[in-house]
Structures are given as C-alpha cells and as structure tokens.
Amino acid sequence: MVKVNGYVNSAATFYDQPKVINGFSDVMNAVFGDKGKHARTSVGTNALPFNMAVEVEMIVEVEE
C-alpha cells in the first residue's frame, strides 16, 4: 500500500473523520502486516454517491 484517501459522509459538526479512516488502516495493517502500512488522508464531505457512509481510494504497488 502506498496511499489511502478516505472520504467520510458527515455533518458539519463532526470532526473525527481521521478516527473513522483509522479503522480502515487498522484492518489493512492487520491483514497485510508491514506491507499494509500507508500514507493517509481523511476528508469530511456532506454527501457521497448512493448516500454511502465512507469511500476509500487506494494507491497500491504490485510486485511481480
């Protein structure tokens, strides 16, 4: 994993978007170990497609 961008559908008064995306990071680290470590960005938004709670975009490097 190289980088993760996390978008959290939230109200204007919610400020814990990083904590929400931490959950995703924790799972990736648990599944992939050191290869699951990544840089990360978390952003709050007032709407996501299909009213989803969270959207995650990842950049990964694949080894042959």
Side-chain angles (χ1 to χ4, degrees), residues 31-54:
V31 171
F32 296 107
D34 284 342
K35 291 184 179 185
K37 292 183 179 178
H38 51 270
R40 186 181 56 112
T41 302
S42 59
V43 177
T45 182
N46 65 338
L48 286 171
F50 306 108
N51 201 31
M52 291 184 291
V54 177

Side-chain angles (χ1 to χ4, degrees), residues 60-64:
V60 298
E61 183 178 341
V62 179
E63 297 176 359
E64 291 189 40

